[in-house]
Amino acid sequence: MSFQDLNLNTPLYNALDDLGFTTPTPIQEQAFNVVSSGKDMVGIAQTGTGKTFAYMLPIIKNLKYSTQENPRVLVLVPTRELVVQVVDEIEKLSKYTNNRILGVYGGTNINTQKQAVAEGIDILVATPGRLYDLALSRVLQLKSIQKLVIDEVDVMLDLGFRHQLINIFDILPTRRQNIMFSATMTQDVDTLISDFFKSPERVSIAVSGTPLENISQTRYNVPNFYTKVNLLTHLLNDTETFNKVLVFVAFKRMADRLFEKLDTIFHDELCVIHSNKTQNYRLRSIEQFRNGENRILIATDVMARGLDIDNVSHVINFDTPLYPENYMHRIGRTGRAEREGKSIVFSTKTEQESIEDIESLMNMEIPLLEIPPIVEVSTELIEEERPQIKERNNPTKRKDEDAPGPAFHEKSEKNSKENLGGSYKFKIAAKYKKPKTRGDKNYNKRNKRK
Ligand code: AMP
């Protein structure tokens, strides 16, 4: 199949020519007619498969020229980096049209964005939070949205955007086409789809366990964090082979810890991205890695998913992902556009089960390499690796969960009263001038005496 078979228009053909693209990728081929038909769609596709154009080609083809100010197409993506990247892709495709495209995301001045919105837009790309704020400010009117694209739905839900998405659905016109893309099908994604969408057509290209063929994978068994650092350093010292390296870690804290260790050796070649870093810092890091200024980028799963960076020579999994799908995402960052890519994964003893899960998902074994003798095997352990010392059968030891913590709410009025001693009975007696208990035989006698 060629792009000619999709019956596009001249501006799109010219744009594709300029990009040097001749044949649609499988997801582009399959999604085109579904998106054109106006039906709801769920596409299962990894980044790197050409999914942005899979929805943008049919949308741009059918987007009529208009002078109205309110956007007609809304693309929601989970991260600010993706806003920038998707806007860039749409702009490339819109080179010969007059489409007005705008990207908005949080962490930057909202007033500048309000001004840009007021100038009129056709296609709006946004992160959910900032979109909602702009809509609430009423500068942004969503009543003309005809097509809603949610890209990377799985990441979106991972980041806890479910409520924000539902709020946005509430303020969008009900008559609209919904197009969703997810790299993996998760329980959360499934629930969202069945709760909010009308029997969407599913388009899927590869089982999420099928790695791209041009990625060669190897693995090392490494006993602990410090030995991993030593092995990584050893590999990275070969600057010629390891010329553009994406190092993955699961958690922000680990990203910072690893950055600290590598920074002393690879200072000028190193950058890091995770969600605690500022917007500008992340954008700068990605740009420096993309343009080759920095050779090594350390990233967490969520931050790097969806990033489109070319010519990554190696993906190094500093830890073994607990979810095999995350491994698929990580290695998909290399071997793009049919270039050769290499992936290496480090696993400790406790990570062996995860390696088995990954291998069974892919239905293949990852060749195991020996740690080169020159690499020092450390015995030093980080806090998380040290064995937990548990005191057993100590009856006087207070369990942690029983330890008194600070009060987390005010006491109720009744409970906050102090017990001053004395009996409730006396108080009632004083108030009613007689005991409330029945059958106090001495009551009258007592009162007569008074
Ligand atoms: P995506 O999966 O949308 O992030 O796209 C991955 C990369 O593939 C992007 O750099 C696109 O510009 C590129 N791409 C998209 N469609 C095609 C195509 N038909 N042929 C070659 N490259 C493409």
Side-chain angles (χ1 to χ4, degrees):
M1 200 191 224
S2 77
F3 281 119
Q4 298 299 326
D5 299 313
L6 298 181
N7 237 338
L8 303 172
N9 52 30
T10 314
L12 281 174
Y13 283 127
N14 289 341
L16 288 169
D17 266 356
D18 286 0
L19 289 166
F21 298 169
T22 49
T23 37
T25 64
I27 192 76
Q28 289 165 2
E29 213 179 294
Q30 288 189 43
F32 192 84
N33 285 334
V34 185
V35 176
S36 299
S37 75
K39 279 190 230 152
D40 282 2
M41 191 198 94
V42 181
I44 307 292
Q46 292 164 245
T47 303
T49 53
K51 67 189 166 71
T52 317
F53 282 11
Y55 59 80
M56 260 2 271
L57 277 169
I59 288 179
I60 293 181
K61 185 197 160 188
N62 297 313
L63 194 66
K64 306 236 161 22
Y65 175 78
S66 163
T67 51
Q68 79 146 327
E69 272 151 28
N70 302 330
R72 287 169 290 155
V73 178
L74 172 62
V75 182
L76 292 176
V77 297
T79 62
R80 301 145 186 194
E81 290 79 4
L82 262 175
V83 171
V84 175
Q85 191 177 299
V86 169
V87 166
D88 190 45
E89 290 272 289
I90 301 176
E91 275 172 351
K92 283 184 202 155
L93 213 49
S94 300
K95 194 168 163 193
Y96 298 99
T97 62
N98 296 314
N99 292 333
R100 296 159 302 173
I101 303 140
L102 178 69
V104 293
Y105 42 79
T108 45
N109 191 325
I110 195 167
N111 291 324
T112 325
Q113 290 178 354
K114 281 182 186 168
Q115 274 169 12
V117 167
E119 282 169 23
I121 333 162
D122 296 302
I123 303 170
L124 179 63
V125 184
T127 48
R130 181 48 61 96
L131 177 94
Y132 197 64
D133 290 345
L134 284 167
L136 287 187
S137 79
R138 303 211 158 262
V139 175
L140 175 66
Q141 296 283 335
L142 296 174
K143 60 185 179 210
S144 307
I145 296 291
Q146 299 158 357
K147 297 188 191 293
L148 168 69
V149 179
I150 315 177
D151 204 350
E152 307 253 330
V153 186
D154 47 354
V155 180
M156 197 87 94
L157 296 175
D158 262 9
L159 290 175
F161 283 148
R162 188 185 153 85
H163 273 290
Q164 304 225 25
L165 286 179
I166 295 169
N167 286 341
I168 293 168
F169 296 159
D170 268 352
I171 52 172
L172 288 175
T174 43
R175 269 176 63 89
R176 60 167 201 266
Q177 181 183 17
N178 299 296
I179 300 154
M180 274 168 289
F181 276 90
S182 186
T184 44
M185 209 50 203
T186 63
Q187 188 72 44
D188 285 350
V189 176
D190 233 348
T191 316
L192 186 84
I193 292 168
S194 53
D195 286 353
F196 294 97
F197 303 101
K198 295 164 246 142
S199 46
E201 193 131 333
R202 287 184 191 227
V203 173
S204 129
I205 37 146
V207 192
S208 54
T210 319
L212 299 175
E213 281 159 12
N214 44 331
I215 302 171
S216 79
Q217 306 175 54
T218 47
R219 69 185 186 94
Y220 289 94
N221 282 334
V222 194
N224 50 39
F225 175 83
Y226 283 107
T227 314
K228 283 182 176 182
V229 172
N230 295 345
L231 176 58
L232 181 60
T233 308
H234 167 75
L235 296 173
L236 291 175
N237 277 333
D238 180 354
T239 50
E240 208 167 298
T241 315
F242 290 79
N243 55 58
K244 198 167 191 178
V245 186
L246 195 48
V247 182
F248 276 104
V249 291
F251 309 107
K252 297 168 212 172
R253 191 157 39 99
M254 202 54 102
D256 281 333
R257 194 183 263 158
L258 181 60
F259 181 80
E260 216 175 89
K261 292 279 165 253
L262 295 186
D263 197 35
T264 50
I265 312 160
F266 301 105
H267 184 66
D268 291 333
E269 304 176 285
L270 187 67
C271 46
V272 60
I273 50 165
H274 57 65
S275 55
N276 278 6
K277 296 282 173 196
T278 64
Q279 165 68 6
N280 283 341
Y281 184 95
R282 282 187 278 161
L283 285 178
R284 196 173 59 237
S285 294
I286 290 163
E287 197 39 46
Q288 286 176 354
F289 183 63
R290 200 192 295 264
N291 68 23
E293 232 173 287
N294 283 335
R295 181 167 66 98
I296 309 155
L297 175 66
I298 301 173
T300 53
D301 290 292
V302 166
M303 270 303 117
R305 271 165 92 165
L307 277 188
D308 177 27
I309 297 170
D310 281 336
N311 301 334
V312 171
S313 70
H314 293 77
V315 163
I316 298 184
N317 300 274
F318 190 79
D319 54 29
T320 310
L322 194 57
Y323 296 100
E325 289 82 3
N326 285 356
Y327 177 80
M328 306 307 297
H329 286 296
R330 289 177 175 191
I331 67 169
R333 308 298 89 220
T334 183
R336 294 160 82 83
E338 284 161 31
R339 284 199 184 83
E340 274 294 304
K342 290 199 166 58
S343 149
I344 300 170
V345 54
F346 296 173
S347 321
T348 59
K349 217 171 194 168
T350 53
E351 290 173 323
Q352 290 306 312
E353 218 178 297
S354 304
I355 269 293
E356 285 164 24
D357 289 346
I358 291 166
E359 291 184 331
S360 80
L361 176 75
M362 295 192 297
N363 202 13
M364 63 170 273
E365 274 181 21
I366 307 172
L368 179 68
L369 302 179
E370 289 296 323
I371 301 179
I374 192 171
V375 174
E376 189 198 333
V377 175
S378 171
T379 49
E380 199 183 336
L381 300 177
I382 56 169
E383 198 187 319
E384 291 88 335
E385 291 170 339
R386 283 179 216 143
Q388 301 281 316
I389 301 159
K390 286 201 182 97
E391 253 186 289
R392 298 174 80 187
N393 304 330
N394 180 352
T396 56
K397 190 165 186 282
R398 191 171 198 156
K399 276 191 197 153
D400 259 348
E401 62 251 41
D402 297 337
F408 57 92
H409 57 64
E410 291 289 315
K411 280 185 175 176
S412 69
E413 198 189 341
K414 185 171 139 238
N415 284 340
S416 63
K417 278 184 187 153
E418 257 177 272
N419 185 357
L420 299 171
S423 148
Y424 180 63
K425 214 159 111 185
F426 292 156
K427 277 191 202 153
I428 295 298
K431 189 170 176 188
Y432 295 103
K433 307 278 191 296
K434 59 174 189 177
K436 276 302 248 184
T437 44
R438 268 193 289 156
D440 182 354
K441 289 176 206 142
N442 299 324
Y443 177 78
N444 290 331
K445 265 193 247 165
R446 236 184 0 246
N447 280 296
K448 236 182 242 169
R449 253 184 261 138
K450 268 187 190 168

